[in-house]
Amino acid sequence: MADHKLSSIFLVFATIFAMANAQGLKLDYYKTSCPEAEEIVERITKQYVSHVPNFAAGLIRMNFHDCAVRGCDASVLINPTSSNNKTEKTAIPNTTLRGFEIIDAIKSALEKKCPGVVSCADILALASRDAITTINGPWWEVPTGRRDGKVSLESEANALIPSPFSDVTTLKQNFAALGLSAKDLVVLSGAHTIGVGHCFIIRSRLYNFTGKGDTDPTLSPHYADWLKTRCLPIASDSTSFVFMDRITPKVFDEKYYTMVTQNRGLFVSDATLMTDQETKSYIETQVKTKGSTFADDFAVSMTKMINIGVLTGSQGEIRKTCGAVNQ
């Protein structure tokens, strides 16, 4: 782990400082204002993820969904209120997010130690990294100093978060709008090596792909048959799920890419990565080399992602609780 951590530091070093310095973020931002901040985040995150490893996938997904809308400003954490009953949290892509209780527990502990100092945006960025390392995944530096946003709109989340039904052209456009490349797209999609996919998202792919009661022909027939034993054609079922990576579902490795090359990508957005030369080439290389660069590539792409549109300095605020803007 130490050697891998060291290699990740060197790989992301230039990226971190090119991006972070330009946006007012820096390593050890809380060194004097809240010295134990990062230690507290790590300790509580590990407590939760050690008990429920799937929280790691939940936090990475939450972090991406947050950064995709108004940048990494923790706007995805804001609860609906009487004055705004449709926040990002109520958007369709976010109804299956999990891990909010981890962020709340961390924030509560930090408020007792250093009231009004550590932002929810920084907590989410740090906890996502610590969750992945807890399951022996890659490590990356997280510069801090983010501020929390004050605006959270369901409509923006519905419009801006990349869809599991999108083709690769649309996905590349989505990522480009965030300052991310096609390589970042295929690398970050690799996070599907852990976690689950809900059946209601793939039900049409299994039972009514073109409106004629058919199955998506690009899906492996054997895999489709297996999925149908887990995801029944019950429209009201919104809770059933399957692992995204059936080979090693709880291990952060390259086996997601193996699934995709075998036409066993769970979502259309997974399968479509094989229709673009750049993303296909990356996938095939990781499969051939047993993920030789995947962990380090993931660290680099995450470093870019957590710096999207951050608020710093006097922008935004430091929320007292992560679920509500300050009054």
Side-chain angles (χ1 to χ4, degrees):
M1 186 66 178
D3 290 342
H4 178 70
K5 180 175 178 178
L6 191 60
S7 67
S8 294
I9 293 175
F10 286 122
L11 277 169
V12 302
F13 187 84
T15 307
I16 288 173
F17 286 94
M19 299 180 74
N21 287 349
Q23 301 185 62
L25 302 183
K26 65 179 183 179
L27 299 175
D28 297 321
Y29 178 84
Y30 299 108
K31 186 175 183 178
T32 56
S33 59
C34 191
E36 297 177 41
E38 295 193 22
E39 178 185 332
I40 290 171
V41 174
E42 182 180 17
R43 173 173 53 80
I44 295 176
T45 301
K46 284 188 173 182
Q47 287 174 354
Y48 277 89
V49 176
S50 296
H51 183 62
V52 183
N54 278 345
F55 272 136
L59 287 173
I60 280 288
R61 183 165 174 252
M62 185 190 298
N63 198 1
F64 177 67
H65 283 208
D66 179 51
C67 294
V69 184
R70 292 182 174 265
C72 308
D73 66 347
S75 52
V76 74
L77 305 177
I78 296 175
N79 294 316
T81 63
S82 56
S83 60
N84 178 17
N85 64 358
K86 293 185 176 182
T87 64
E88 290 176 36
K89 210 170 185 179
T90 62
I92 294 171
N94 293 334
T95 56
T96 54
L97 287 182
R98 61 182 313 204
F100 293 106
E101 61 266 51
I102 303 175
I103 305 302
D104 289 341
I106 294 169
K107 180 62 171 175
S108 178
L110 287 170
E111 285 300 300
K112 290 177 182 176
K113 179 68 68 171
C114 316
V117 173
V118 183
S119 70
C120 300
D122 276 342
I123 291 171
L124 181 53
L126 289 164
S128 299
R129 187 270 313 277
D130 295 340
I132 294 299
T133 60
T134 300
I135 61 168
N136 297 316
W139 179 93
W140 56 93
E141 287 277 23
V142 178
T144 44
R146 294 167 190 76
R147 305 268 292 178
D148 298 324
K150 300 179 182 181
V151 178
S152 182
L153 301 173
E154 176 187 288
S155 57
E156 291 185 346
N158 281 331
L160 296 173
I161 295 172
S163 167
F165 306 105
S166 291
D167 61 25
V168 70
T169 300
T170 302
L171 291 171
K172 287 169 70 174
Q173 292 171 347
N174 293 154
F175 273 64
L178 297 172
L180 300 174
S181 66
K183 181 177 180 180
D184 295 319
L185 162 62
V186 69
V187 169
L188 293 175
S189 293
H192 288 175
T193 184
I194 54 174
V196 301
H198 284 77
C199 289
F200 72 85
I201 298 176
I202 62 169
R203 193 164 286 123
S204 63
R205 196 177 182 206
L206 293 176
Y207 296 105
N208 199 28
F209 188 62
T210 65
K212 299 178 181 179
D214 54 339
T215 301
D216 182 350
T218 67
L219 194 60
S220 160
H222 291 298
Y223 186 48
D225 288 342
W226 180 83
L227 286 172
K228 289 176 182 179
T229 68
R230 301 297 192 276
C231 298
L232 303 178
I234 303 172
S236 60
D237 178 8
S238 61
T239 58
S240 296
F241 61 84
V242 292
F243 285 113
M244 301 285 289
D245 170 2
R246 196 183 168 197
I247 304 172
T248 53
K250 297 182 180 180
V251 180
F252 198 97
D253 59 17
E254 82 291 345
K255 293 301 189 291
Y256 158 79
Y257 296 124
T258 300
M259 294 279 291
V260 172
T261 62
Q262 296 171 344
N263 295 324
R264 295 194 294 165
L266 193 63
F267 299 150
V268 169
S269 59
D270 298 314
T272 191
L273 297 175
M274 291 298 288
T275 66
D276 175 84
Q277 188 53 48
E278 183 176 358
T279 54
K280 178 183 179 182
S281 176
Y282 182 85
I283 290 170
E284 291 177 338
T285 297
Q286 296 311 310
V287 173
K288 183 178 181 180
T289 64
K290 292 182 168 42
S292 61
T293 66
F294 173 50
D296 289 333
D297 291 340
F298 192 82
V300 171
S301 291
M302 281 300 300
T303 301
K304 292 174 66 176
M305 191 199 85
I306 61 174
N307 285 280
I308 295 171
V310 297
L311 303 176
T312 58
S314 60
Q315 299 172 311
E317 63 183 11
I318 304 297
R319 284 185 219 138
K320 296 175 183 177
T321 61
C322 290
V325 298
N326 296 339
Q327 299 301 314

